[in-house]
PDB file of all heavy atoms in Angstrom:
ATOM      1  N   ASP A   1      17.449  35.948  43.938  1.00 95.00           N
ATOM      2  CA  ASP A   1      16.805  36.033  45.208  1.00 95.00           C
ATOM      3  C   ASP A   1      16.051  34.631  45.553  1.00 95.00           C
ATOM      4  O   ASP A   1      15.743  34.481  46.721  1.00 95.00           O
ATOM      5  CB  ASP A   1      15.734  37.104  45.219  1.00 95.00           C
ATOM      6  CG  ASP A   1      14.668  36.920  44.082  1.00 95.00           C
ATOM      7  OD1 ASP A   1      15.113  36.770  42.979  1.00 95.00           O
ATOM      8  OD2 ASP A   1      13.541  37.010  44.381  1.00 95.00           O
ATOM      9  N   ARG A   2      15.856  33.778  44.615  1.00 95.00           N
ATOM     10  CA  ARG A   2      15.281  32.495  44.926  1.00 95.00           C
ATOM     11  C   ARG A   2      16.232  31.499  45.551  1.00 95.00           C
ATOM     12  O   ARG A   2      15.869  30.469  46.046  1.00 95.00           O
ATOM     13  CB  ARG A   2      14.656  31.851  43.653  1.00 95.00           C
ATOM     14  CG  ARG A   2      13.552  32.574  43.010  1.00 95.00           C
ATOM     15  CD  ARG A   2      12.855  31.790  41.943  1.00 95.00           C
ATOM     16  NE  ARG A   2      12.082  32.596  41.095  1.00 95.00           N
ATOM     17  CZ  ARG A   2      11.485  32.195  39.961  1.00 95.00           C
ATOM     18  NH1 ARG A   2      11.675  30.977  39.539  1.00 95.00           N
ATOM     19  NH2 ARG A   2      10.716  32.993  39.268  1.00 95.00           N
ATOM     20  N   GLY A   3      17.548  31.876  45.511  1.00 96.00           N
ATOM     21  CA  GLY A   3      18.508  31.015  46.137  1.00 96.00           C
ATOM     22  C   GLY A   3      19.030  29.910  45.269  1.00 96.00           C
ATOM     23  O   GLY A   3      18.879  29.896  44.029  1.00 96.00           O
ATOM     24  N   THR A   4      19.591  28.924  45.944  1.00 96.00           N
ATOM     25  CA  THR A   4      20.233  27.726  45.267  1.00 96.00           C
ATOM     26  C   THR A   4      19.620  26.475  45.732  1.00 96.00           C
ATOM     27  O   THR A   4      18.830  26.493  46.730  1.00 96.00           O
ATOM     28  CB  THR A   4      21.749  27.779  45.516  1.00 96.00           C
ATOM     29  OG1 THR A   4      21.938  27.643  46.948  1.00 96.00           O
ATOM     30  CG2 THR A   4      22.424  29.009  45.034  1.00 96.00           C
ATOM     31  N   ARG A   5      19.913  25.411  45.036  1.00 95.00           N
ATOM     32  CA  ARG A   5      19.496  24.109  45.516  1.00 95.00           C
ATOM     33  C   ARG A   5      20.755  23.334  45.902  1.00 95.00           C
ATOM     34  O   ARG A   5      21.852  23.607  45.474  1.00 95.00           O
ATOM     35  CB  ARG A   5      18.675  23.369  44.488  1.00 95.00           C
ATOM     36  CG  ARG A   5      19.451  22.926  43.237  1.00 95.00           C
ATOM     37  CD  ARG A   5      19.045  23.628  42.003  1.00 95.00           C
ATOM     38  NE  ARG A   5      19.414  22.814  40.839  1.00 95.00           N
ATOM     39  CZ  ARG A   5      19.482  23.280  39.611  1.00 95.00           C
ATOM     40  NH1 ARG A   5      19.332  24.592  39.383  1.00 95.00           N
ATOM     41  NH2 ARG A   5      19.842  22.474  38.592  1.00 95.00           N
ATOM     42  N   SER A   6      20.589  22.307  46.776  1.00 95.00           N
ATOM     43  CA  SER A   6      21.723  21.564  47.275  1.00 95.00           C
ATOM     44  C   SER A   6      21.721  20.148  46.652  1.00 95.00           C
ATOM     45  O   SER A   6      20.752  19.396  46.776  1.00 95.00           O
ATOM     46  CB  SER A   6      21.655  21.457  48.809  1.00 95.00           C
ATOM     47  OG  SER A   6      21.771  22.679  49.407  1.00 95.00           O
ATOM     48  N   ILE A   7      22.833  19.807  45.968  1.00 96.00           N
ATOM     49  CA  ILE A   7      22.918  18.510  45.376  1.00 96.00           C
ATOM     50  C   ILE A   7      24.143  17.797  45.969  1.00 96.00           C
ATOM     51  O   ILE A   7      25.308  18.153  45.661  1.00 96.00           O
ATOM     52  CB  ILE A   7      23.107  18.602  43.851  1.00 96.00           C
ATOM     53  CG1 ILE A   7      22.037  19.505  43.230  1.00 96.00           C
ATOM     54  CG2 ILE A   7      23.080  17.231  43.171  1.00 96.00           C
ATOM     55  CD1 ILE A   7      22.167  19.702  41.733  1.00 96.00           C
ATOM     56  N   PRO A   8      23.927  16.806  46.825  1.00 95.00           N
ATOM     57  CA  PRO A   8      25.060  16.088  47.426  1.00 95.00           C
ATOM     58  C   PRO A   8      25.933  15.332  46.360  1.00 95.00           C
ATOM     59  O   PRO A   8      25.372  14.741  45.508  1.00 95.00           O
ATOM     60  CB  PRO A   8      24.407  15.118  48.410  1.00 95.00           C
ATOM     61  CG  PRO A   8      22.970  15.653  48.568  1.00 95.00           C
ATOM     62  CD  PRO A   8      22.643  16.274  47.268  1.00 95.00           C
ATOM     63  N   VAL A   9      27.214  15.403  46.601  1.00 95.00           N
ATOM     64  CA  VAL A   9      28.165  14.679  45.772  1.00 95.00           C
ATOM     65  C   VAL A   9      28.338  13.286  46.247  1.00 95.00           C
ATOM     66  O   VAL A   9      28.158  12.298  45.483  1.00 95.00           O
ATOM     67  CB  VAL A   9      29.520  15.413  45.688  1.00 95.00           C
ATOM     68  CG1 VAL A   9      30.492  14.605  44.825  1.00 95.00           C
ATOM     69  CG2 VAL A   9      29.337  16.849  45.140  1.00 95.00           C
ATOM     70  N   GLY A  10      28.717  13.115  47.489  1.00 91.00           N
ATOM     71  CA  GLY A  10      28.823  11.754  48.044  1.00 91.00           C
ATOM     72  C   GLY A  10      29.941  10.935  47.493  1.00 91.00           C
ATOM     73  O   GLY A  10      29.874   9.715  47.470  1.00 91.00           O
ATOM     74  N   GLY A  11      30.950  11.635  47.011  1.00 93.00           N
ATOM     75  CA  GLY A  11      32.165  10.865  46.511  1.00 93.00           C
ATOM     76  C   GLY A  11      32.093  10.474  45.035  1.00 93.00           C
ATOM     77  O   GLY A  11      33.122  10.070  44.468  1.00 93.00           O
ATOM     78  N   ALA A  12      30.953  10.498  44.376  1.00 97.00           N
ATOM     79  CA  ALA A  12      30.844  10.166  43.015  1.00 97.00           C
ATOM     80  C   ALA A  12      29.609  10.811  42.377  1.00 97.00           C
ATOM     81  O   ALA A  12      28.605  11.060  43.076  1.00 97.00           O
ATOM     82  CB  ALA A  12      30.753   8.627  42.806  1.00 97.00           C
ATOM     83  N   VAL A  13      29.679  11.002  41.103  1.00 97.00           N
ATOM     84  CA  VAL A  13      28.520  11.651  40.355  1.00 97.00           C
ATOM     85  C   VAL A  13      28.194  10.831  39.097  1.00 97.00           C
ATOM     86  O   VAL A  13      28.925  10.013  38.660  1.00 97.00           O
ATOM     87  CB  VAL A  13      28.874  13.080  39.896  1.00 97.00           C
ATOM     88  CG1 VAL A  13      29.182  13.941  41.148  1.00 97.00           C
ATOM     89  CG2 VAL A  13      30.039  13.090  38.947  1.00 97.00           C
ATOM     90  N   LEU A  14      26.974  11.115  38.610  1.00 98.00           N
ATOM     91  CA  LEU A  14      26.538  10.558  37.354  1.00 98.00           C
ATOM     92  C   LEU A  14      26.392  11.700  36.335  1.00 98.00           C
ATOM     93  O   LEU A  14      25.868  12.776  36.634  1.00 98.00           O
ATOM     94  CB  LEU A  14      25.167   9.895  37.509  1.00 98.00           C
ATOM     95  CG  LEU A  14      25.026   8.670  38.420  1.00 98.00           C
ATOM     96  CD1 LEU A  14      23.583   8.310  38.619  1.00 98.00           C
ATOM     97  CD2 LEU A  14      25.795   7.475  37.714  1.00 98.00           C
ATOM     98  N   VAL A  15      26.936  11.488  35.158  1.00 98.00           N
ATOM     99  CA  VAL A  15      26.799  12.429  34.079  1.00 98.00           C
ATOM    100  C   VAL A  15      26.340  11.635  32.848  1.00 98.00           C
ATOM    101  O   VAL A  15      26.459  10.423  32.773  1.00 98.00           O
ATOM    102  CB  VAL A  15      28.096  13.145  33.764  1.00 98.00           C
ATOM    103  CG1 VAL A  15      28.503  14.063  34.916  1.00 98.00           C
ATOM    104  CG2 VAL A  15      29.199  12.212  33.429  1.00 98.00           C
ATOM    105  N   GLU A  16      25.844  12.350  31.833  1.00 98.00           N
ATOM    106  CA  GLU A  16      25.356  11.733  30.630  1.00 98.00           C
ATOM    107  C   GLU A  16      26.626  11.269  29.793  1.00 98.00           C
ATOM    108  O   GLU A  16      27.654  12.006  29.798  1.00 98.00           O
ATOM    109  CB  GLU A  16      24.410  12.589  29.873  1.00 98.00           C
ATOM    110  CG  GLU A  16      23.165  12.890  30.621  1.00 98.00           C
ATOM    111  CD  GLU A  16      22.040  13.503  29.806  1.00 98.00           C
ATOM    112  OE1 GLU A  16      22.265  13.914  28.623  1.00 98.00           O
ATOM    113  OE2 GLU A  16      20.892  13.538  30.305  1.00 98.00           O
ATOM    114  N   PRO A  17      26.453  10.177  29.065  1.00 97.00           N
ATOM    115  CA  PRO A  17      27.613   9.689  28.340  1.00 97.00           C
ATOM    116  C   PRO A  17      28.370  10.679  27.466  1.00 97.00           C
ATOM    117  O   PRO A  17      29.612  10.704  27.429  1.00 97.00           O
ATOM    118  CB  PRO A  17      27.060   8.486  27.540  1.00 97.00           C
ATOM    119  CG  PRO A  17      25.898   8.055  28.269  1.00 97.00           C
ATOM    120  CD  PRO A  17      25.303   9.271  28.920  1.00 97.00           C
ATOM    121  N   ASP A  18      27.580  11.473  26.729  1.00 97.00           N
ATOM    122  CA  ASP A  18      28.168  12.457  25.854  1.00 97.00           C
ATOM    123  C   ASP A  18      28.903  13.554  26.554  1.00 97.00           C
ATOM    124  O   ASP A  18      29.635  14.365  25.918  1.00 97.00           O
ATOM    125  CB  ASP A  18      27.145  13.041  24.883  1.00 97.00           C
ATOM    126  CG  ASP A  18      26.571  12.006  23.902  1.00 97.00           C
ATOM    127  OD1 ASP A  18      27.268  10.973  23.694  1.00 97.00           O
ATOM    128  OD2 ASP A  18      25.532  12.285  23.302  1.00 97.00           O
ATOM    129  N   ASP A  19      28.683  13.702  27.862  1.00 97.00           N
ATOM    130  CA  ASP A  19      29.301  14.781  28.632  1.00 97.00           C
ATOM    131  C   ASP A  19      30.576  14.330  29.331  1.00 97.00           C
ATOM    132  O   ASP A  19      31.240  15.132  29.991  1.00 97.00           O
ATOM    133  CB  ASP A  19      28.328  15.306  29.681  1.00 97.00           C
ATOM    134  CG  ASP A  19      27.152  16.035  29.082  1.00 97.00           C
ATOM    135  OD1 ASP A  19      27.264  16.529  27.995  1.00 97.00           O
ATOM    136  OD2 ASP A  19      26.068  16.102  29.726  1.00 97.00           O
ATOM    137  N   VAL A  20      30.966  13.063  29.173  1.00 97.00           N
ATOM    138  CA  VAL A  20      32.244  12.652  29.724  1.00 97.00           C
ATOM    139  C   VAL A  20      33.385  13.122  28.763  1.00 97.00           C
ATOM    140  O   VAL A  20      33.451  12.649  27.629  1.00 97.00           O
ATOM    141  CB  VAL A  20      32.318  11.139  29.907  1.00 97.00           C
ATOM    142  CG1 VAL A  20      33.704  10.647  30.434  1.00 97.00           C
ATOM    143  CG2 VAL A  20      31.195  10.597  30.776  1.00 97.00           C
ATOM    144  N   PRO A  21      34.295  14.007  29.273  1.00 96.00           N
ATOM    145  CA  PRO A  21      35.391  14.487  28.383  1.00 96.00           C
ATOM    146  C   PRO A  21      36.438  13.443  28.173  1.00 96.00           C
ATOM    147  O   PRO A  21      36.561  12.491  28.950  1.00 96.00           O
ATOM    148  CB  PRO A  21      35.871  15.696  29.135  1.00 96.00           C
ATOM    149  CG  PRO A  21      35.671  15.366  30.602  1.00 96.00           C
ATOM    150  CD  PRO A  21      34.382  14.512  30.629  1.00 96.00           C
ATOM    151  N   PRO A  22      37.220  13.556  27.168  1.00 95.00           N
ATOM    152  CA  PRO A  22      38.386  12.610  26.997  1.00 95.00           C
ATOM    153  C   PRO A  22      39.387  12.778  28.142  1.00 95.00           C
ATOM    154  O   PRO A  22      39.312  13.795  28.872  1.00 95.00           O
ATOM    155  CB  PRO A  22      39.030  13.119  25.702  1.00 95.00           C
ATOM    156  CG  PRO A  22      37.963  13.912  24.967  1.00 95.00           C
ATOM    157  CD  PRO A  22      37.147  14.525  26.027  1.00 95.00           C
ATOM    158  N   ASN A  23      40.116  11.834  28.430  1.00 95.00           N
ATOM    159  CA  ASN A  23      41.116  11.854  29.421  1.00 95.00           C
ATOM    160  C   ASN A  23      41.968  13.071  29.325  1.00 95.00           C
ATOM    161  O   ASN A  23      42.474  13.410  28.225  1.00 95.00           O
ATOM    162  CB  ASN A  23      41.989  10.538  29.468  1.00 95.00           C
ATOM    163  CG  ASN A  23      41.460   9.590  30.429  1.00 95.00           C
ATOM    164  OD1 ASN A  23      41.078   9.908  31.628  1.00 95.00           O
ATOM    165  ND2 ASN A  23      41.451   8.293  30.044  1.00 95.00           N
ATOM    166  N   GLY A  24      42.172  13.731  30.471  1.00 95.00           N
ATOM    167  CA  GLY A  24      42.968  14.924  30.413  1.00 95.00           C
ATOM    168  C   GLY A  24      42.239  16.265  30.173  1.00 95.00           C
ATOM    169  O   GLY A  24      42.767  17.361  30.331  1.00 95.00           O
TER     170      GLY A  24
END
């Protein structure tokens, strides 16, 4: 019931290094 928050993508994102999966 509290709803959601809005996070713009804008064509690119930042993730933490350990969260980048291998290619594929």
